[in-house]
Amino acid sequence: MKNPNKVLILDRDGVINEDLWDYVTVPEDFKPIQGSIESIAKLYQSGYKITVATNQACIGKGIISDEQLKRVHNFMLEIIEEKGGKVDCIAYCPHSPEEKCNCRKPEIGLLTKIENELKISLEGSYFIGDKESDVLAARNFGCVPLLVKTGYGKKTLESTFCPKEEHCFEDLKHAAAYILKNPL
């Protein structure tokens, strides 16, 4: 499948920033994984639209508000822009798993939201994640899943849904290098 829109989908926690195994509730807790911010900037500068699709059950669980999450995302956007990058859309699911919504990955609601907001098709796009739910959302939507071994990635390597070996990378920096050499 070709990706005429040159758009990428990234998970957030465990891909862009360190997964705290809890929740990133304040900007000070947002710790970029080494090379991730620079990689996003490089991909953007190479003509890709960058989008983020992230489950944030911390809202549904009452741990933080939408406004607090917005502050975390604004901080992330600022540091990406400082490096010359840009994120075109952030879609997040605020629901807890028990709510059984249609936007929590592996469901595809976040990807539909990105398509509607940007008025483009994501079919055939690379989707970079670290969890089985990212891989499944990508496949369910017709995207190409790429797995990073940061965050939950090493555990996801054991999943029966793990992408083929050439689509598994140490981190976002290595996945970005692959994408730049292998555009869809």
Side-chain angles (χ1 to χ4, degrees), residues 26 54 79 90 99 135 165:
V26 293
T54 180
I79 62 175
I90 299 174
E99 293 179 71
V135 173
E165 189 176 337

Side-chain angles (χ1 to χ4, degrees), residues 127 129-131 135 145-149 153 156-157 162-163 167-169:
F127 185 134
D130 67 317
K131 296 178 191 74
V135 173
L146 301 181
L147 181 73
V148 292
K149 297 176 188 174
T156 305
L157 287 171
C162 183
H167 284 174
C168 297
F169 305 92

Side-chain angles (χ1 to χ4, degrees), residues 88-148:
D88 293 279
C89 180
I90 299 174
Y92 65 91
C93 170
H95 308 106
S96 66
E98 297 76 30
E99 293 179 71
K100 303 216 184 298
C101 63
N102 71 347
C103 57
R104 184 173 178 80
K105 295 176 291 179
E107 300 299 325
I108 60 170
L110 293 178
L111 302 176
T112 301
K113 181 178 179 179
I114 292 169
E115 277 193 336
N116 291 338
E117 189 168 317
L118 297 180
K119 297 182 181 15
I120 57 172
S121 173
L122 297 179
E123 188 175 345
S125 299
Y126 285 122
F127 185 134
I128 306 168
D130 67 317
K131 296 178 191 74
E132 184 176 277
S133 59
D134 298 319
V135 173
L136 291 172
R139 287 190 179 145
N140 291 339
F141 205 76
C143 297
V144 178
L146 301 181
L147 181 73
V148 292

Side-chain angles (χ1 to χ4, degrees), residues 26-98:
V26 293
E28 296 78 24
D29 287 344
F30 185 90
K31 306 289 185 221
I33 293 171
Q34 187 173 356
S36 67
I37 302 302
E38 296 81 1
S39 297
I40 292 169
K42 194 175 211 177
L43 289 162
Y44 172 74
Q45 291 164 7
S46 296
Y48 283 93
K49 287 181 172 86
I50 309 296
T51 66
V52 175
T54 180
N55 289 342
Q56 293 297 320
C58 49
I59 294 172
K61 293 179 179 182
I63 296 169
I64 67 171
S65 66
D66 281 299
E67 188 56 41
Q68 288 170 301
L69 181 64
K70 188 175 184 177
R71 284 197 285 276
V72 171
H73 284 163
N74 286 341
F75 176 76
M76 177 184 74
L77 295 173
E78 284 174 27
I79 62 175
I80 289 170
E81 288 173 12
E82 285 172 7
K83 295 290 183 184
K86 179 184 174 191
V87 173
D88 293 279
C89 180
I90 299 174
Y92 65 91
C93 170
H95 308 106
S96 66
E98 297 76 30

